[in-house]
Every structure is written in structure tokens, then in C-alpha cells.
Amino acid sequence: MKILHFSDIHLTTPGHTIQGRDPNASFERALGHALADHGDAELLVITGDLSDWGDRADYERLRDRLANLPLPIALCIGNHDDRPTFLDIFPELADPNGFVQSVRDVSAGRCLMLDTWEPQTHSGHYCEARLAWLEARLREHDGPFFLFMHHNPFPTHLAPLDRIGLADGRAFRDAVARHRDRIRHIFFGHCHLPLAGSTAGVPTTSLRGTNHAGIALFRERELLSSSDLPASYGVAFIAADHVCVHMVEFGYDGPVRTEGNPDYAAWNRETMVR
């Protein structure tokens, strides 16, 4: 089965751009590309920064657009969002403590959407109340589980990004460690970078997002780094014995070539196109 992973869509006032790209148009292009190639996906999850400034109008337009999609949707919020405004438009996504946390079942297991938003900061937070919600969800079901969140749950070793990562990451990783035999994968956004690693032994991946792109510039110690690399979305292929995650660079506008027969017998110096 498949799960589509979008992140950092950064919807904004129509006509406005971010780093020269129109995030509303980028989101539409991502949806069109993903549905054309992966219309059989069981779920689309968007892991935060739904709006660039947390504006009510962005969430209203998002709700209207998602209502017309032919597959189930799950949402997280990120540091650019505003929880109270978001919950005015999506009140059904509040957990009992007022956080944006929810559960979605797919044929491969149970997906948990986590809320790492905190007011007046770009850093992520996962407090005791949120940890208690996560622990309860992990204990009440046999799994397997797939976790979705906005902020990076481990250090990226890029100094500016790590200043706005998950501030209480150690406590979160400790919680994951207690249940890692039933958590198959963790998906996140926020960094606008393709990242892969593990969180307390659980495989973890991220991607650039559907509009503007970051770049791993390790020598820059103070400011976040951006680039003109293509926008992307993710698609996870999940089976009983593996998870395969692709970052699909739908924003790439260059040539795409089909060349090189995968049949080994067809590989020779005379006919191979190089």
C-alpha cells in the first residue's frame, strides 16, 4: 500500500510568492502530480507549515480544497501555523487536551499525527501532556505504527536548523524507544531537506516540501540556507517486510530521459547509450 507525504506547503495570500515560487500553485501542482501517479494511495498526510503566517483564510481555502480530494487526508501543524486559528477551521482534529493530534488507520497499520507546535517559537516541543497522549495511543493498539510530525526528532548537525528542532527531543526519543518494536517508521518535515536516519532505532525520513527548498550548507553557522532545488513530495510504499520512501521532485523542469535497458544481456559497448 501507499501513503503520500506532503510537508511545508506554506499556503499564503493568493498572488504572493516565497523565494520566487507561488506556494498555492506549487501545492496544486503537487496534488495533480501525486494523484496522477499515486491515485491508489490510502492516505495523504501533510506534516505542517500548512500556512505561511497562520492566516484563517489559508486554512479555509485548504479545507475547501481537501474536501474535493478522492482520498483520506490527515494533517499536522508546524511552526508557521497557529493552533487556535487552525482549530477554528478543523475542530475535529483536536485531542482531549486541545493539541492537534489524531489517529488514522490504513491497511498497513495505525498512523499517529503528532503536534510539535509551540507559540512564539520556531522550535518544536512535545510536552508531558502530548507524550501521555502518544503513550496511550501506543499502548491501546497492537500496531504497527507510523508516526507523522513536523519538527525533526533528531539533530541534523546543521547548526541553524538544530536551534529550531525538537527542543525536548531526548524525552520524545525515550518514548519511541519504549515502543520501537511496534513503530515501523517516522515521517517529518520542517527542514526542507531530504533526510534519513533513525529515531531511537526507528527509521525516519524527511523531504524538501512542496514549495521552497533548503540545502545542507554545513559551514553556515547562523542563518538558514535556501536553494533553487526542485520542490517535492513523498510517497511511501509499505509492505509486510519493507518500507520504501521516495522523494518525488515534481518541481524539476529539466529533461527526463529513458535510457539503458535493465536487461544485463543488452549492456554492451556498441549499443549502450551513455
Side-chain angles (χ1 to χ4, degrees):
M1 58 82 64
K2 298 178 188 176
I3 296 177
L4 291 168
H5 177 203
F6 282 29
S7 195
D8 299 274
I9 63 177
H10 285 267
L11 300 184
T12 191
T13 303
H16 288 197
T17 60
I18 302 172
Q19 296 184 12
R21 298 176 182 176
D22 181 339
N24 302 317
S26 295
F27 180 53
E28 285 298 325
R29 185 178 176 189
L31 286 173
H33 194 285
L35 292 174
D37 284 359
H38 306 292
D40 58 341
E42 291 189 22
L43 182 66
L44 165 61
V45 184
I46 310 178
T47 53
D49 284 359
L50 309 172
S51 168
D52 195 43
W53 292 103
D55 290 340
R56 182 183 184 91
D58 295 336
Y59 299 132
E60 290 173 338
R61 283 185 287 105
L62 179 62
R63 186 174 190 98
D64 290 345
R65 184 66 184 92
L66 296 181
N68 296 318
L69 292 183
L71 76 169
I73 311 296
L75 301 175
C76 303
I77 58 172
N79 52 294
H80 279 255
D81 290 304
D82 181 79
R83 187 190 292 130
T85 306
F86 173 84
L87 287 176
D88 278 349
I89 309 303
F90 294 91
E92 71 279 8
L93 296 184
D95 74 7
N97 293 309
F99 296 108
V100 181
Q101 305 201 117
S102 59
V103 177
R104 288 281 188 157
D105 288 329
V106 294
S107 60
R110 173 160 287 188
C111 300
L112 303 181
M113 272 51 70
L114 311 184
D115 180 344
T116 58
W117 182 87
E118 191 78 6
Q120 304 299 312
T121 180
H122 287 300
S123 298
H125 291 262
Y126 209 67
C127 61
E128 290 186 6
R130 282 173 273 194
L131 279 170
W133 181 92
L134 176 59
E135 286 275 1
R137 302 293 78 74
L138 292 170
R139 293 182 185 281
E140 72 187 6
H141 190 271
D142 292 336
F145 293 93
F146 301 87
L147 308 187
F148 293 83
M149 60 198 297
H150 183 70
H151 287 84
N152 46 300
F154 50 58
T156 66
H157 301 277
L158 292 160
L161 274 177
D162 285 339
R163 287 204 295 275
I164 57 171
L166 190 63
D168 27 27
R170 181 60 59 85
F172 177 78
R173 292 191 293 274
D174 287 346
V176 169
R178 288 191 288 274
H179 302 275
R180 63 180 159 212
D181 58 327
R182 294 182 299 123
I183 303 173
R184 293 193 64 191
H185 206 90
I186 299 174
F187 301 83
F188 69 96
H190 185 52
C191 299
H192 295 251
L193 291 172
L195 288 163
S198 64
T199 302
V202 176
T204 305
T205 53
S206 190
L207 70 177
R208 284 198 201 106
T210 63
N211 192 63
H212 43 298
I215 193 166
L217 190 63
F218 289 90
R219 63 180 175 270
E220 174 56 56
R221 308 297 297 176
E222 299 298 329
L223 302 177
L224 298 169
S225 301
S226 65
S227 72
D228 293 324
L229 289 165
S232 74
Y233 64 84
V235 56
F237 295 81
I238 301 171
D241 60 354
H242 73 272
V243 175
C244 175
V245 182
H246 284 266
M247 186 180 74
V248 181
E249 295 177 308
F250 73 94
Y252 173 67
D253 290 321
V256 176
R257 294 172 290 273
T258 53
E259 60 187 28
N261 191 323
D263 185 349
Y264 183 79
W267 287 43
N268 61 77
R269 290 175 181 267
E270 288 71 35
T271 62
M272 276 288 289
V273 176
R274 307 298 287 168

